[in-house]
Amino acid sequence: MATIKVSVVSAEEKIFEGDAELVSLPGVSGELGILRGHEPLITLIRPGTVRIHKAKDEIDEIFVAGGVLEVQPTVVTVLADTAIRTKDLDEARTVEALEAAKSQREQVKGDLEIAKVEAEISALSAQLALIKKIRQHR
C-alpha cells in the first residue's frame, strides 16, 4: 500500500514524523481517515486520538487536545495544542489536572476565561476517557 508522510507536532516538541498507510483522527465534524492522494484539506481537530497506521499492522497512537490538521496529497501535518503518546498518559496526573480545572471554572468570570477553562476541561475529560479505555483493553 502507498504511504503518506506524517508529522505530529505540539508547541513543546515533535511527537511523530514518518510514513504511514493511513492516519485517522477526530475532526470537528467527525472521524477522518486520510490515505495517500487525499484531497487538500485544512480543518480543526477535537480532543481525541490520532492513530497512525504504519506498515505491518503497527499503529502509533497519540492523544491530542485539539489543534489543526493540514492534508496535502502526500503529506499530513497535525499541529496539536497538546500531544502525548498514549503510552505516556498518566491517569493520576490527569485526574488531578481535571479537578483543578473544574475548581478554577467556579472562580473565573469573563467569557474568554470561562471558554479557556471549559476547553481545558473538555480536553482533560477526553484524555481521561482514553486512559480508561486503554486500561480496559490491557
Side-chain angles (χ1 to χ4, degrees), residues 68-105:
V68 177
L69 167 69
E70 179 186 9
V71 178
Q72 294 297 324
T74 60
V75 180
V76 172
T77 305
V78 177
L79 304 170
D81 299 332
T82 300
I84 305 167
R85 290 185 181 277
T86 56
K87 65 181 180 183
D88 296 333
L89 292 172
D90 182 325
E91 184 172 8
R93 184 193 267 156
T94 303
V95 168
E96 184 178 313
L98 181 57
E99 292 306 317
K102 286 179 179 178
S103 178
Q104 184 181 5
R105 169 61 180 93

Side-chain angles (χ1 to χ4, degrees), residues 49 60-63 84-89 130 134 138:
T49 306
D60 279 8
E61 293 184 319
I62 300 167
F63 173 80
I84 305 167
R85 290 185 181 277
T86 56
K87 65 181 180 183
D88 296 333
L89 292 172
L130 175 61
I134 291 169
R138 287 185 180 160

Side-chain angles (χ1 to χ4, degrees), residues 32-83:
L32 296 166
I34 311 296
L35 296 167
R36 183 179 181 90
H38 195 286
E39 289 294 316
L41 168 71
I42 295 178
T43 187
L44 295 175
I45 53 177
R46 58 187 168 78
T49 306
V50 175
R51 288 168 305 286
I52 302 164
H53 302 258
K54 300 187 300 187
K56 300 179 184 173
D57 296 328
E58 186 180 343
I59 301 173
D60 279 8
E61 293 184 319
I62 300 167
F63 173 80
V64 294
V68 177
L69 167 69
E70 179 186 9
V71 178
Q72 294 297 324
T74 60
V75 180
V76 172
T77 305
V78 177
L79 304 170
D81 299 332
T82 300

Side-chain angles (χ1 to χ4, degrees), residues 14 17 28 36 41 65 70 91 107 118 122 124 127:
K14 185 178 295 185
E17 187 163 30
V28 291
R36 183 179 181 90
L41 168 71
E70 179 186 9
E91 184 172 8
Q107 299 171 6
E118 287 181 351
S122 175
L124 289 167
Q127 185 174 333

